[in-house]
Amino acid sequence: MDQSMAIQETLAEGEYCIIAVQGVLCEGDSRQSRLLGLVRHRPKRGGQEHALFLYTHRRMAITGDDVSLDQIVPVSRDFTLEEVSLDGELYVLGSDVTVQLDTAELSLVFQLPFGSHTRTFLQEVARACPGFDPATPDPEFLWLSRYRCTGPEPEPPTPLCWNAPPGTGPRCAGIGGGVSDFDDSRSDKRGLPVDPSSWGQDTPDNLLPRQNKSKCEITDMVRSSTIMVSDKAHILSMQKFGLRDTIVKSRLVQKEEDYTYIQNFRFFVGTYNVNGQSPKEGLRPWLSHGTPAPDVYCVGFQELDLSKEAFFFHDTPKEEEWFKAVSEGLHPDAKYAKVKLIRLVGIMLLLYVKQEHAAHVSEVEAETVGTGIMGRMGNKGGVAIRFQFHNTSICVVNSHLAAHTEEYERRNQDYKDICSRMQFCQIDPGLPPLTISKHDVILWLGDLNYRIEELDVETVKNLIEEKDFQTLYGYDQLKTQMAAKSVFEGFIEGELTFQPTYKYDTGSDDWDTSEKCRAPAWCDRVLWKGKNITQLSYQSHMALKTSDHKPVSSVFDIGVKVVNEERYRKTLEEIVRSLDKMENANIPSVSLSKREFCFQNVKYMQLQVQSFTIRNGQVPCQFEFINKPDEKSYCKQWLNANPSRGFLLPDSAIEIELELFVNKTTATKLNSGEDKIEDILVLHLDRGKDYFLSVSGNYLPSCFGSPIHTLCYMREPILDLPLETIRELTLMPLQTEDDGVQLENPLGIPKELWMMVDYLYQNAIQQEDLFQQPGLRSEFEHIRDCLDTGMIETLSASNHSVAEALLLFLESLPEPVICYSTYHNCLECSGNYIASKQVISTLPTFHQNVFNYLMAFLRELLKKSAKNHLDENILASIFGSLLLRNPAGHQKLDMAEKKKAQEFIHLFLCNSP
């Protein structure tokens, strides 16, 4: 585990633990566990100083309560930390790394765990060393005077200097020379006695004594990187250790059954759409009633917060409220550690394990995917946590898919988007990310929003009254879509023996009596995929009435691969011995099924994929696509090879997919002809030769990615123009129009923009959730083709798809509507309408026209707010980040800038010109 957060809790404000690693202090025959943390401080005089903090700790340091500061070693000019080999020590693949720490006053030896995390730690320490530049002032380390080091028990105080060997002083000593006894009543419960006299009245809040938590056993375990014996088969792919160790890793995976056995662990999986409510009742009837204490809890929420602030700024107090409610509702017969919390707007997932299992949880990663408008907004989407439990990889996904009965295709698309875009970093940064499907066990929970179709409301309620759930299930959309293999292929769901979980009147068990009178549906589901999984229960919990949904739970026994350490060592030794017999002189050789790839008629945001097979010969080999001379990447931005590197055992094969996708980043240069669908890929074999792959094709220019002024000079559809004309107009400088150079008959605004806005004005001015609900990808492709060919009369798409296409068009502009040059002026006058109008008046004419046209359209929408439920804040938030973009590397707006951009647009929505 990355235990830096435990260390961070012990630090004063302004100090930061960059990275931590758990190691063993070696003194003669003695071996003592220590937690090493690299801590950074930024003095007021400038620059930065570092020190290595050494802690004694519990077996797994989860919070600051679990560590006690034993020693501080300033990273001064005479500080070194180097990898060494002890006398008589033989190198064993996968063994610990031995390092020696030296300063003028002391020398210490540590063993650190094999793997990428230790390498990163050593690199960070090397970067922290101050160097030997005489012009750089020596670090003073005055900030260290506030810390006190403690030993295991209070004894008569003796002064302890900075660099005394750790563990030799079982007392508290001031680094600045002062000494005080350990006084538990004045301790902050982390082993750091608080002596206010050492820093006056400005005691940092995080060093003051804390009140005991109401549930102190709820502890926080953050991102994990701990390397344990059971993980070695998964971390031996480190690039630094070369081909030999990659072969070992692959052979270990192949022989996994030789050194692992299956042990069942109980998993509780729960999902609850809370409809934006705060907890009003205890959660034990859902989380822990009538069941033995689970080993693992996976608890998901949807609609945690429905406020606009949560939607646009991702801030919500509800996270802490529901986290506390869950922590208090866990089974009372066990103590649990919180492994991870991840949230995307209102979608939250919590993972807990029994404390005795914490040491066997590793490689924890969490990611989010928004599938809302423009594929990013987090009102819909998914969050996921993946982790290694013993030797089994597990991925837990919590999703909230698109609403409304008729939107099942949108739900299917949301699911596919989450699967394709949810990617987790691996320990070896050189390896491709893991996707959801690359796990032994997948648990998928959430408000999937599939409804019951073809039956009227009364028929549905009658079937529920008769408890004829089997007949009702026949009309369930999720069942139908899974049977058609349109969604959740390979997943299993248990039998539905409980009544639908949506929609109820809040605070009751009565079906929806609102004006819309929603038909009941099983919106809230739990599915699974993998081996050795037995579902023990699947039920709803009618006792909870906080929301218009009922919570759902499923309990599983999951067979997890547990490592037998003795068998593991024997297997590892056998593999290493067999490798010693290999002939290193053999040169690897592969055959490729295809070397030339032609992508025809590539379109904006429309993925094309071609594949080929690499078949290996008789020698194990490692392959990788490598950069060509003077190039930063192995391929152009619009291309990707998946996987881009890998390992092949003798006589094995792998399929490589070449994915071509043009987006806003690459479209403009392809439109102008500055770039072409042409590339050469170099496939390199370690210790072998290089293979060259040719990629070619043609791109169909699009209005997406074209500048505003270019489109204004295109009176014909872009696909009707000669490529040379498109090239000249795309490369035309922005200010041409203001330099007295007038091309013939320009349009006031791009015709494509007018087509989309006019369509929305005619068809969608009263559309509920406009610009907030996403459209379908297939419809976007149809809209793009209509705009690029000028065949607007053939346009047939939902209002939401056209609205999203408009936003994607604005996002794709290489120069935003409000030009980069005026960005900072806009933020400065965001509270002044007169000054804001003055800034807009300085824009090039075409950009002024587009801005005024869009504001007029949005004001028309606001006139129908009673029907479409839009308001100035929603529109200002959506359009602010599209019309105003940070010119510094085209970065996303930070929170303060985002709010100022919103205020700027808000002025024009509330004031007529």
Side-chain angles (χ1 to χ4, degrees), residues 254-268:
Q254 282 185 325
K255 293 176 174 288
E256 188 177 48
E257 290 184 359
D258 293 351
Y259 58 87
T260 61
Y261 59 93
I262 300 298
Q263 180 177 334
N264 277 340
F265 293 88
R266 187 148 295 182
F267 281 64
F268 176 98

Side-chain angles (χ1 to χ4, degrees), residues 7 10-11 15 35-39 50-55 69-73 143-144 147 175:
I7 293 176
T10 71
L11 302 179
E15 273 127 43
L35 187 60
L36 291 73
L38 179 63
V39 176
H50 298 81
L52 204 58
F53 281 46
L54 311 182
Y55 293 81
L69 184 60
D70 181 60
Q71 176 67 14
I72 299 177
V73 184
W143 55 286
L144 295 178
Y147 294 100
I175 287 182

Side-chain angles (χ1 to χ4, degrees), residues 270-284:
T271 178
Y272 194 6
N273 181 320
V274 297
N275 192 34
Q277 303 297 309
S278 294
K280 298 187 176 87
E281 52 198 347
L283 300 183
R284 281 203 172 163

Side-chain angles (χ1 to χ4, degrees), residues 103-394:
T103 70
E105 290 83 14
L106 88 167
S107 181
L108 301 172
V109 174
F110 295 91
Q111 284 188 336
L112 305 180
F114 172 87
S116 62
H117 189 67
T118 290
R119 295 292 165 193
T120 304
F121 175 80
L122 295 176
Q123 290 166 5
E124 290 291 347
V125 172
R127 275 196 286 268
C129 292
F132 297 96
D133 183 0
T136 305
D138 288 332
E140 297 175 346
F141 300 111
L142 300 177
W143 55 286
L144 295 178
S145 63
R146 73 186 70 188
Y147 294 100
R148 300 289 181 270
C149 303
T150 71
E153 59 185 38
E155 289 186 359
T158 305
L160 178 67
C161 68
W162 275 344
N163 292 327
T168 59
R171 65 259 156 213
C172 307
I175 287 182
V179 179
S180 66
D181 289 321
F182 178 83
D183 181 353
D184 190 65
S185 65
R186 300 178 65 191
S187 168
D188 70 343
K189 307 299 181 186
R190 304 185 182 107
L192 302 185
V194 177
D195 180 6
S197 64
S198 65
W199 53 73
Q201 299 302 311
D202 299 324
T203 306
D205 291 342
N206 62 339
L207 285 183
L208 291 173
R210 327 180 273 186
Q211 294 180 348
N212 289 333
K213 296 178 182 177
S214 60
K215 197 171 180 69
C216 61
E217 67 268 23
I218 303 301
T219 49
D220 190 5
M221 187 184 308
V222 294
R223 289 170 67 94
S224 73
S225 302
T226 294
I227 308 305
M228 305 175 299
V229 171
S230 59
D231 299 321
K232 289 180 179 176
H234 298 274
I235 59 85
L236 288 172
S237 58
M238 279 299 298
Q239 185 176 9
K240 182 178 181 67
F241 299 99
L243 176 63
R244 179 183 175 87
D245 302 315
T246 304
I247 297 172
V248 172
K249 177 254 185 184
S250 298
R251 292 276 171 86
L252 279 171
V253 172
Q254 282 185 325
K255 293 176 174 288
E256 188 177 48
E257 290 184 359
D258 293 351
Y259 58 87
T260 61
Y261 59 93
I262 300 298
Q263 180 177 334
N264 277 340
F265 293 88
R266 187 148 295 182
F267 281 64
F268 176 98
V269 180
T271 178
Y272 194 6
N273 181 320
V274 297
N275 192 34
Q277 303 297 309
S278 294
K280 298 187 176 87
E281 52 198 347
L283 300 183
R284 281 203 172 163
W286 171 39
L287 297 176
S288 57
H289 180 68
T291 179
D295 297 292
V296 180
Y297 271 103
C298 312
V299 183
F301 294 95
Q302 307 83 40
E303 296 191 357
L304 202 72
D305 192 332
L306 298 176
S307 68
K308 296 182 180 68
E309 290 74 22
F311 180 65
F312 292 115
F313 302 115
H314 309 288
D315 239 357
T316 175
K318 301 288 179 65
E319 176 181 309
E320 183 64 29
E321 292 174 6
W322 282 102
F323 164 56
K324 183 179 178 183
V326 171
S327 298
E328 292 172 349
L330 300 179
H331 206 289
D333 294 345
K335 293 185 177 182
Y336 291 91
K338 189 193 88 183
V339 179
K340 195 71 179 172
L341 180 157
I342 182 73
R343 182 177 62 82
L344 174 68
V345 188
I347 310 168
M348 183 168 81
L349 179 61
L350 287 156
L351 177 66
Y352 299 83
V353 299
K354 280 184 177 177
Q355 284 195 340
E356 58 263 35
H357 299 321
H360 302 290
V361 175
S362 63
E363 298 180 40
V364 180
E365 296 287 344
E367 293 295 342
T368 68
V369 169
T371 60
I373 191 77
M374 298 175 71
R376 288 199 306 273
M377 289 294 197
N379 56 322
K380 294 293 188 289
V383 300
I385 300 171
R386 65 90 50 204
F387 60 101
Q388 196 81 6
F389 189 33
H390 290 276
N391 232 49
T392 293
S393 61
I394 300 174

Side-chain angles (χ1 to χ4, degrees), residues 3-16:
Q3 299 169 79
S4 59
M5 288 305 295
I7 293 176
Q8 187 65 48
E9 288 189 23
T10 71
L11 302 179
E13 186 176 358
E15 273 127 43
Y16 175 65

Side-chain angles (χ1 to χ4, degrees), residues 33 46 54 72 171 183 188 211 259 313 321 360 362 382 462 503-504 529 572 611 646 752 789 843 850 887 893:
S33 182
L54 311 182
I72 299 177
R171 65 259 156 213
D183 181 353
D188 70 343
Q211 294 180 348
Y259 58 87
F313 302 115
E321 292 174 6
H360 302 290
S362 63
N462 287 337
K503 177 181 183 179
Y504 296 87
K529 189 176 186 180
L572 179 61
S611 62
E752 296 83 1
T789 59
L843 295 175
V850 168
L893 279 61

Side-chain angles (χ1 to χ4, degrees), residues 58-100:
R58 299 179 184 177
R59 182 180 182 189
M60 180 60 59
I62 298 169
T63 71
D65 295 316
D66 300 327
V67 298
S68 180
L69 184 60
D70 181 60
Q71 176 67 14
I72 299 177
V73 184
V75 181
S76 54
R77 291 193 191 276
D78 62 0
F79 175 100
T80 61
L81 185 67
E82 297 177 327
E83 187 172 349
V84 296
S85 294
L86 297 181
D87 292 340
E89 186 181 70
L90 296 176
Y91 171 73
V92 178
L93 182 68
S95 65
D96 290 342
V97 177
T98 303
V99 297
Q100 183 164 318

